[in-house]
Amino acid sequence: MNRWISKKRTGERIRSLLAERGLSVAEIQDKMELESPQAVYKWLHGISLPSIAHLHELSCILGVSIEEILAAEELESNEDVPETERK
């Protein structure tokens, strides 16, 4: 079995964690000292995944493990990964 990280489902998890903690995109941008909110919006919309460094920082801010942020799925083969997730 292969595992892959779903950008879309990871974005949904990040959105849910932010809502549970009452945090806005602007607050995350400020806490992570990001130049613009675009990176956070890309995570939330499943366009991209946070870098390892950003995942670590985000996990500290949200008080959860990196594993709780990432949405991993088991697949039979790499061909089962949706085209939108292959980049």
Side-chain angles (χ1 to χ4, degrees), residues 12-30:
E12 291 168 356
R13 283 190 181 177
I14 295 171
R15 184 182 303 276
S16 175
L17 289 165
L18 292 180
E20 287 173 13
R21 285 149 181 78
L23 292 169
S24 69
V25 169
E27 289 171 311
I28 293 299
Q29 175 192 349
D30 185 52

Side-chain angles (χ1 to χ4, degrees), residues 24-86:
S24 69
V25 169
E27 289 171 311
I28 293 299
Q29 175 192 349
D30 185 52
K31 290 177 184 289
M32 295 181 75
E33 298 179 357
L34 300 170
E35 289 185 24
S36 76
Q38 295 309 315
V40 181
Y41 284 117
K42 286 181 179 181
W43 305 336
L44 295 177
H45 293 289
I47 296 168
S48 66
L49 292 169
S51 67
I52 297 297
H54 285 149
L55 276 171
H56 175 72
E57 195 170 358
L58 195 56
S59 74
C60 291
I61 292 168
L62 298 173
V64 297
S65 68
I66 290 173
E67 291 81 11
E68 290 177 82
I69 296 172
L70 296 174
E73 294 188 12
E74 297 282 336
L75 299 171
E76 300 271 331
S77 71
N78 285 336
E79 283 114 34
D80 292 336
V81 177
E83 186 68 34
T84 56
E85 297 281 344
R86 292 185 188 184

